[in-house]
Amino acid sequence: MKLYSYLKKIVYTFFPKKVIQQNEERLRYLYANLFYRGKNCQCNICTKKFSRFILLDNGNLVCPYCGSLSRNRRLWQILKEKKLLKGNILHFSPNRALYRVLKQLNYVEYTSTDFVDEFLADKKLNITNIASPAERFDLVICYHVLEHIEEDQLAMSELYRVLKIGGIVMIQTPFREGEIYEDATIKSPQERLKYFGQEDHVRIYSVEGLIERLEKVGFQSEVLTFNEASTGMGLKVNENVILAYKTNS
């Protein structure tokens, strides 16, 4: 892990972001083949086999070949098992490994978006004012986004508006027990790191609290809870994903 972090720091120090993105797959392939050759584990996104996942300090397990995190592999698993990959798909701030796989699917219309130029994206859409007609998308993927948005109820209303009747929004954020914790007076990156867990987070949701806010704008929600880890696929234990359904216009 220390070697991985050290090499990543060097690459991001000396090379522009665009150059890194263009050559990321080659660099990861070289690194994985040097240090992670084996067949003990397999990533369900890139389908590569290797000796072990890269363990980060925060507990995340990274695929050495494609860079996917545990939550990305869980998301891909849900998409496949529930047969959600159809129609028009909108994906906020996509993981690069998932972006590349979804972009290659010829049986869906896939649109990715990123508002802060940190991810691979086709458009730059503001989640609180989505430049799209109503009832445009069959599926919206909104993973680890809402905890960054101050006007989250407005964002949820926009997600509801652009979703077709019968459509689904897949949502995940960091969760806590009890009630949602937020405080509009906490503004600095240092304070947000202390109280919300990351410099650019503005709250910590609870599952129940997030569902309540989704229901206020019209969604009906289902919680998927995963209580078993899978070391071979690098999936985490105690993970929750919310499926928010639009059943009425």
Side-chain angles (χ1 to χ4, degrees), residues 140-153:
V140 179
I141 302 172
C142 186
Y143 253 50
H144 292 261
V145 173
L146 291 176
E147 68 270 22
H148 298 263
I149 308 300
E150 292 185 4
E151 296 180 294
D152 65 331
Q153 291 267 238

Side-chain angles (χ1 to χ4, degrees), residues 89-92 94 99 110-114 120-124:
I89 300 174
L90 178 62
H91 194 174
F92 285 89
Y99 169 88
Y110 175 72
T111 303
S112 63
T113 174
D114 173 41
L120 295 176
D122 308 307
K123 293 186 177 182
K124 185 175 183 178

Side-chain angles (χ1 to χ4, degrees), residues 14-63:
F14 291 100
F15 295 95
K17 185 184 293 185
K18 278 192 174 182
V19 173
I20 296 170
Q21 290 177 348
Q22 291 169 355
N23 294 277
E24 179 185 8
E25 291 177 287
R26 298 186 187 92
L27 292 170
R28 287 190 180 279
Y29 187 86
L30 176 62
Y31 176 76
N33 272 282
L34 283 173
F35 300 106
Y36 290 86
R37 296 186 70 172
K39 295 185 177 180
N40 294 333
C41 302
Q42 184 174 22
C43 173
N44 64 343
I45 296 177
C46 68
T47 71
K48 296 286 194 305
K49 293 183 178 181
F50 40 87
S51 60
R52 65 195 185 281
F53 285 93
I54 300 167
L55 177 63
L56 301 183
D57 288 337
N58 62 7
N60 255 315
L61 295 172
V62 180
C63 170

Side-chain angles (χ1 to χ4, degrees), residues 6-242:
Y6 175 71
L7 292 175
K8 186 175 180 180
K9 183 178 180 180
I10 290 176
V11 169
Y12 276 89
T13 299
F14 291 100
F15 295 95
K17 185 184 293 185
K18 278 192 174 182
V19 173
I20 296 170
Q21 290 177 348
Q22 291 169 355
N23 294 277
E24 179 185 8
E25 291 177 287
R26 298 186 187 92
L27 292 170
R28 287 190 180 279
Y29 187 86
L30 176 62
Y31 176 76
N33 272 282
L34 283 173
F35 300 106
Y36 290 86
R37 296 186 70 172
K39 295 185 177 180
N40 294 333
C41 302
Q42 184 174 22
C43 173
N44 64 343
I45 296 177
C46 68
T47 71
K48 296 286 194 305
K49 293 183 178 181
F50 40 87
S51 60
R52 65 195 185 281
F53 285 93
I54 300 167
L55 177 63
L56 301 183
D57 288 337
N58 62 7
N60 255 315
L61 295 172
V62 180
C63 170
Y65 279 97
C66 71
S68 65
L69 300 174
S70 302
R71 66 178 184 245
N72 309 134
R73 294 186 293 276
R74 179 74 74 188
L75 170 58
W76 183 242
Q77 181 188 53
I78 297 169
L79 287 169
K80 299 285 281 186
E81 290 183 353
K82 289 191 169 290
K83 297 180 173 58
L84 300 178
L85 294 170
K86 55 188 176 183
N88 295 332
I89 300 174
L90 178 62
H91 194 174
F92 285 89
S93 304
N95 164 264
R96 290 195 290 273
L98 273 176
Y99 169 88
R100 293 183 178 109
V101 171
L102 290 167
K103 198 67 178 173
Q104 292 175 357
L105 300 180
N106 58 15
Y107 53 87
V108 301
E109 183 178 331
Y110 175 72
T111 303
S112 63
T113 174
D114 173 41
F115 195 64
V116 292
D117 296 323
E118 291 184 2
F119 300 86
L120 295 176
D122 308 307
K123 293 186 177 182
K124 185 175 183 178
L125 300 178
N126 182 347
I127 195 170
T128 62
N129 186 20
I130 302 172
S132 170
E135 299 186 6
R136 174 76 174 84
F137 298 99
D138 299 277
L139 173 68
V140 179
I141 302 172
C142 186
Y143 253 50
H144 292 261
V145 173
L146 291 176
E147 68 270 22
H148 298 263
I149 308 300
E150 292 185 4
E151 296 180 294
D152 65 331
Q153 291 267 238
L154 183 56
M156 294 175 201
S157 296
E158 278 292 275
L159 293 174
Y160 190 86
R161 182 184 67 82
V162 301
L163 194 67
K164 293 180 182 178
I165 297 174
I168 299 173
V169 181
M170 300 182 70
I171 300 172
Q172 189 181 66
T173 73
F175 290 115
R176 69 191 296 263
E177 295 295 327
E179 299 180 347
I180 296 174
Y181 177 62
E182 59 189 342
D183 184 341
T185 66
I186 298 174
K187 296 288 188 182
S188 72
Q190 296 79 13
E191 286 183 311
R192 286 178 171 177
L193 175 62
K194 178 181 178 180
Y195 291 103
F196 304 134
Q198 191 166 304
E199 292 92 339
D200 55 352
H201 286 188
V202 297
R203 71 181 60 80
I204 306 177
Y205 289 101
S206 65
V207 172
E208 297 78 10
L210 180 49
I211 287 175
E212 183 178 346
R213 291 191 181 186
L214 288 167
E215 289 178 347
K216 283 182 180 178
V217 302
F219 283 111
Q220 294 184 7
S221 299
E222 174 187 4
V223 182
L224 304 181
T225 300
F226 302 92
N227 291 320
E228 294 184 5
S230 172
T231 55
M233 286 179 58
L235 301 177
K236 294 172 67 176
V237 69
N238 298 326
E239 187 173 13
N240 292 298
V241 177
I242 295 175

